[in-house]
Amino acid sequence: MSHIRNIVVLTGAGVSAESGIDTFREANDGRGGLWEQHRVEDVATPEAFARDPDLVLRFYDMRREAIQTKQPNPAHEALARLDREWDGDLLIVTQNVDDLHERAGARRILHMHGEHLNAWCTACDVRCRWTGTLIDRPACPACGEAALRPDVVWFGEMPYEMDRIFAALREADLFVSIGTSGAVYPAAGFVQNAAALGARTLELNLERSQGSHWFDETRLGPAGRIVPAWVDEMLQ
Ligand code: BV8
């Protein structure tokens, strides 16, 4: 590992599964993943919000409340330790909208699909910390308008900080993907970008993902076990 200095880590719903947060495609309790309970196009698109804002706001109010009852797991804690102790470059790019990485202590982190605990005013464009509900149309703390929406990236919307992500991919010696099915773009394409830019690529996942064939190495198992083992390896 001596020549590895700059690392980009991509995380998905699988890294929060052991904290009791539903993944999108399959929840292992037979209830089906989030997308099984709600059609994506009914709850996670700008069109859905225009068509039935109550349905969308209730969907995110439910999830915003739920994540505040969950705790980081050993995978989040291991990545926070890597963040503290790795003296090369590190960027954790998460597709997750929960705050478990930060609650575990990670600091070099970027939420490319937004955050549950932020609200975004569509009148004055201000983003503010938000832990309550939006269904009751609360006033924006900055402009007073009742124009707040969840600060998450919906399908068809541009993910956040793509420039910063590609800048880190250009410098990366190692790209690691953790707990993601590789079904949603542009995140699912990062492994190909990283490989094309000369980085070594490693997948840590419960099962092979849609993009497994793009990775130099795949290690299968629950994130709570295989991520701490990988971080120990990197920091030994
Ligand atoms: C965009 C926020 C223009 C909201 C989310 C190219 C080809 C085809 C389609 C497209 C394309 N480019 C764009 C598209 C359209 C679309 C897309 O990808 N559609 C898919 C469905 C085909 N993409 C977009 O619309 C994106 N915007 O493209 O804008 C543009 C163009 C170019 C460049 C820039 C921009 C915006 C997409 C973002 C949508 N918002 N989330 C919310 O959360 O409600 S996406 C949301 O779903 C998540 O953030 C995440 O990204 C995705 C879910 O995926 P995962 O996190 O991977 O979760 P999943 O359940 O699928 O898998 C879990 C995995 O974990 C599994 O593999 C499982 O085995 C594993 N696992 C489970 N338990 C464990 C575990 N692993 C380890 N341990 C465990 N215990």
Side-chain angles (χ1 to χ4, degrees):
M1 296 291 169
S2 58
H3 60 286
I4 304 269
R5 281 206 54 68
N6 304 332
I7 305 172
V8 173
V9 175
L10 174 70
T11 67
V15 84
S16 292
E18 292 156 66
S19 296
I21 295 183
D22 279 353
T23 62
F24 287 74
R25 273 168 188 70
E26 81 287 282
N28 40 31
D29 61 3
R31 270 187 312 116
L34 272 171
W35 296 149
E36 269 82 29
Q37 297 151 35
H38 306 274
R39 282 171 347 117
V40 171
E41 50 279 13
D42 294 343
V43 288
T45 65
E47 297 75 20
F49 188 56
R51 190 174 50 242
D52 186 345
D54 282 9
L55 176 70
V56 172
L57 292 174
R58 248 195 307 279
F59 174 66
Y60 286 97
D61 283 356
M62 174 267 287
R63 292 171 63 197
R64 187 177 311 105
E65 187 186 355
I67 65 162
Q68 297 178 72
T69 67
K70 311 296 185 193
Q71 299 308 321
N73 66 57
H76 297 110
E77 279 138 21
L79 290 171
R81 176 181 168 225
L82 181 68
D83 189 5
R84 282 191 304 277
E85 300 178 20
W86 183 255
D87 55 13
D89 287 356
L90 171 73
L91 182 62
I92 301 169
V93 177
T94 188
Q95 300 168 79
N96 300 344
V97 288
D98 66 55
D99 65 335
L100 297 182
H101 279 300
E102 288 90 343
R103 276 202 269 142
R107 290 294 166 271
R108 293 185 276 182
I109 178 149
L110 181 165
H111 286 263
M112 72 177 291
H113 293 163
E115 299 177 63
H116 272 318
L117 299 183
N118 276 355
W120 177 17
C121 180
T122 54
C124 72
D125 201 28
V126 164
R127 285 174 169 83
C128 54
R129 211 73 187 140
W130 201 269
T131 56
T133 60
L134 292 176
I135 189 75
D136 44 336
R137 306 300 194 283
C140 165
C143 74
E145 289 290 319
L148 296 175
R149 61 161 270 184
D151 182 21
V152 297
V153 176
W154 284 326
F155 286 89
E157 294 184 324
M158 178 71 83
Y160 294 158
E161 304 199 69
M162 290 297 290
D163 303 350
R164 196 172 149 212
I165 295 170
F166 277 105
L169 287 172
R170 275 193 293 277
E171 300 307 315
D173 305 306
L174 176 62
F175 173 79
V176 184
S177 175
I178 303 174
T180 185
S181 60
V184 172
Y185 287 77
F190 291 163
V191 58
Q192 295 164 55
N193 305 124
L197 292 159
R200 178 170 165 64
T201 56
L202 170 65
E203 176 179 47
L204 305 177
N205 215 47
L206 194 62
E207 61 195 347
R208 299 185 71 76
S209 68
Q210 294 180 21
S212 279
H213 56 286
W214 293 106
F215 287 87
D216 296 315
E217 181 186 357
T218 290
R219 300 180 191 175
L220 299 180
R225 176 168 59 74
I226 63 176
V227 175
W230 170 69
V231 168
D232 292 348
E233 213 179 281
M234 295 303 292
L235 295 177
Q236 75 194 358

